[in-house]
Amino acid sequence: MDCNHNYLFTEGYFRCTKCSHQKYDKSYNKNNTKINLGLGISIIAIIVGLLFVNGIIEFNQENLDESYQSIPESVIEASGLSKDLVDETSNMIDQTQDEQREYLEPASSNKIIDDLKQIPDQIKKNNPLNEKPVIDKTELEILVHQFTNQYRIQHGLEPVSLDENLSIVARGHSKDMAIQDYFAHITPEGIDPTGRATKLGYNCQKIVGNLIYSGIGENIFQNNLYDTVWYVGDIPTSYDWNTQEEIAESTVDGWMNSQGHRKNILTGMFDREGIGVEIAKNDKVYITQNFC
């Protein structure tokens, strides 16, 4: 059926009054948006005007004019400062690179290495707390002998005497270990404690009942002049040095905590001993104890 449309405009649409047909007016939203925007601006203008009239907002024309006039000068000053900063930074970089090139010449590099090698000695020299202690090897031998007898007495045994000839045998072995950098009862040449003593003309025999015991009993210990060393990079900066008493005590304690060495110290038929001390260049302390 045909309908002669009779439209009625409602909320952006044309609707037919006779049927359900409707059309949308595209200009409606645009016009409506313009109206709403204009209304918003008008309201803001009214509010600002009221604030201005009541003295809440004040405009200082002189300040505004000065601000506008200073803008170009500020921009020029800022650009000038930036240029100066860039130039100064560039000059500093060039100067630093030149200094590094001069400093890293072969001769200078060798000097740097030499200076670094001297730092540990300078630290020891300038800092008394880090100064390498002077060890009296003879006194250290006596201390080891005294600590050994303390343990023998504690276990009901007679103290042993300190035999100088047997100490010569012990010193020879400690010195050999320090020079050849090894730690063993048998030398690299294959000589045992009794063989070393015999080579120096020292013979040891013990008669116990119907038995004859021949040979040398031996304890060895590798100690150190310091317990701890602190480094900065690869450079030693501080040492925890040991005293003579600490070296002697830790040596004998170490032997007493080892079954075989403890047996030598607490063997009743031994009545004399020799002690030999040698200090290597790397601060290792070699101590040999021979019994007869």
Side-chain angles (χ1 to χ4, degrees):
M1 113 181 221
D2 294 331
C3 176
N4 293 323
H5 298 289
N6 184 14
Y7 290 104
L8 177 65
F9 182 81
T10 305
E11 297 179 353
Y13 288 88
F14 289 96
R15 292 184 173 84
C16 178
T17 58
K18 298 180 179 181
C19 66
S20 60
H21 188 268
Q22 63 181 11
K23 298 191 299 182
Y24 179 68
D25 185 4
K26 296 180 180 179
S27 64
Y28 174 77
N29 279 342
K30 294 181 180 179
N31 294 333
N32 193 42
T33 301
K34 292 178 181 179
I35 293 171
N36 291 337
L37 180 60
L39 180 60
I41 293 173
S42 299
I43 293 172
I44 292 171
I46 292 171
I47 293 172
V48 172
L50 290 173
L51 294 173
F52 178 74
V53 169
N54 288 281
I56 298 174
I57 297 178
E58 295 181 359
F59 295 98
N60 192 324
Q61 186 62 39
E62 293 181 0
N63 291 339
L64 290 175
D65 292 340
E66 289 177 0
S67 299
Y68 291 137
Q69 292 173 3
S70 65
I71 288 175
E73 296 179 1
S74 300
V75 172
I76 293 171
E77 289 177 2
S79 62
L81 289 173
S82 299
K83 184 177 183 302
D84 292 341
L85 181 59
V86 171
D87 292 341
E88 184 177 352
T89 303
S90 178
N91 292 334
M92 289 176 63
I93 293 173
D94 293 339
Q95 182 179 356
T96 302
Q97 290 177 342
D98 291 339
E99 291 176 354
Q100 289 178 343
R101 291 191 190 98
E102 294 176 1
Y103 195 66
L104 294 177
E105 289 297 323
S108 298
S109 298
N110 293 334
K111 186 177 184 305
I112 294 171
I113 295 173
D114 291 339
D115 290 343
L116 289 176
K117 289 180 179 178
Q118 294 175 8
I119 288 177
D121 293 333
Q122 293 173 357
I123 292 173
K124 296 174 188 176
K125 180 178 179 181
N126 298 328
N127 187 352
L129 294 177
N130 288 319
E131 186 175 355
K132 186 175 181 178
V134 177
I135 300 296
D136 187 312
K137 293 186 290 187
T138 301
E139 290 183 4
L140 180 53
E141 291 172 359
I142 294 173
L143 287 170
V144 171
H145 172 65
Q146 291 174 345
F147 282 121
T148 298
N149 276 333
Q150 284 181 11
Y151 277 112
R152 286 181 64 89
I153 293 171
Q154 287 174 9
H155 288 79
L157 299 174
E158 292 293 322
V160 292
S161 62
L162 187 59
D163 187 330
E164 178 61 23
N165 291 327
L166 195 51
S167 290
I168 292 174
V169 177
R171 289 172 192 146
H173 187 50
S174 291
K175 186 174 183 179
D176 190 55
M177 288 191 292
I179 293 174
Q180 297 199 65
D181 193 22
Y182 73 95
F183 181 69
H185 292 288
I186 308 299
T187 68
E189 296 76 23
I191 305 176
D192 64 9
T194 300
R196 293 195 303 273
T198 301
K199 189 175 180 179
L200 292 174
Y202 193 98
N203 295 304
C204 179
Q205 284 189 342
K206 294 290 182 181
I207 300 175
V208 180
N210 296 324
L211 299 176
I212 298 176
Y213 293 90
S214 297
I216 298 294
E218 183 176 87
N219 290 342
I220 58 175
F221 199 88
Q222 180 184 296
N223 216 312
N224 209 306
L225 291 182
Y226 55 84
D227 283 335
T228 309
V229 57
W230 287 268
Y231 288 83
V232 174
D234 294 329
I235 301 172
T237 58
S238 183
Y239 294 82
D240 182 12
W241 298 108
N242 289 316
T243 64
Q244 290 183 168
E245 289 77 9
E246 289 171 335
I247 294 173
E249 186 173 10
S250 62
T251 296
V252 178
D253 286 347
W255 286 332
M256 289 298 291
N257 291 325
S258 170
Q259 184 176 355
H261 298 88
R262 178 188 179 92
K263 183 178 179 180
N264 281 337
I265 291 176
L266 300 181
T267 295
M269 71 175 183
F270 290 148
D271 58 6
R272 57 188 183 272
E273 71 171 353
I275 306 294
V277 172
E278 187 60 44
I279 301 173
K281 293 181 179 179
N282 58 3
D283 294 333
K284 291 179 181 178
V285 182
Y286 293 90
I287 302 177
T288 301
Q289 181 181 51
N290 289 139
F291 291 98
C292 177

